[in-house]
Each structure stands twice: as C-alpha cells, then as structure tokens.
Amino acid sequence: MVAWAFGRLVSLDLMVLDLRLALATMVARFLVQAADALVRHVMARAWRGARFAEDITAAATMVAAARG
C-alpha cells in the first residue's frame, strides 16, 4: 500500500514536471519564432532602404554630372 501511494505521488510529480517542461518548451519556441519574424522584418526593411538609397545616389550623381 505504501509503495502504491509513493508511486502515485512520484507519477503526479513527474506529470507536473512534464507539463512545466512542455509549457516552457512551447514558450521558448514561440519566442524564437517571434524573434525570427522580427529579424526577417527588420532585414527586409533594411534591404528595401538600401535599394532605395542606391537609386537615389545614382540619380543624384546623374543630376550633379549634368550640372557640371
């Protein structure tokens, strides 16, 4: 009887630990996905900005050359 009760307590403790571990894993996975999405967004905006600045630089050079 004592072994049965001890076995039940240990299994409940392990189940709680497993639930906490599963929750922590799920939260960590969500945070990694959110960080990845943020980095992709920032990098895409930076790429668009760099391409835009490249076009402006080429146009400004042409205008400066025409004036000279």
Side-chain angles (χ1 to χ4, degrees):
M1 175 112 165
V2 173
W4 176 81
F6 182 72
R8 295 289 288 176
L9 287 174
V10 168
S11 68
L12 285 175
D13 187 42
L14 288 176
M15 185 169 41
V16 169
L17 178 65
D18 287 344
L19 289 174
R20 284 187 284 180
L21 184 61
L23 182 62
T25 302
M26 193 168 56
V27 168
R29 184 174 296 147
F30 171 76
L31 290 175
V32 167
Q33 288 174 350
D36 185 51
L38 178 64
V39 167
R40 285 179 187 268
H41 176 73
V42 168
M43 292 304 291
R45 287 183 57 102
W47 179 254
R48 284 194 303 257
R51 300 298 295 171
F52 180 72
E54 181 181 55
D55 291 342
I56 288 175
T57 303
T61 304
M62 290 172 59
V63 169
R67 288 186 186 169

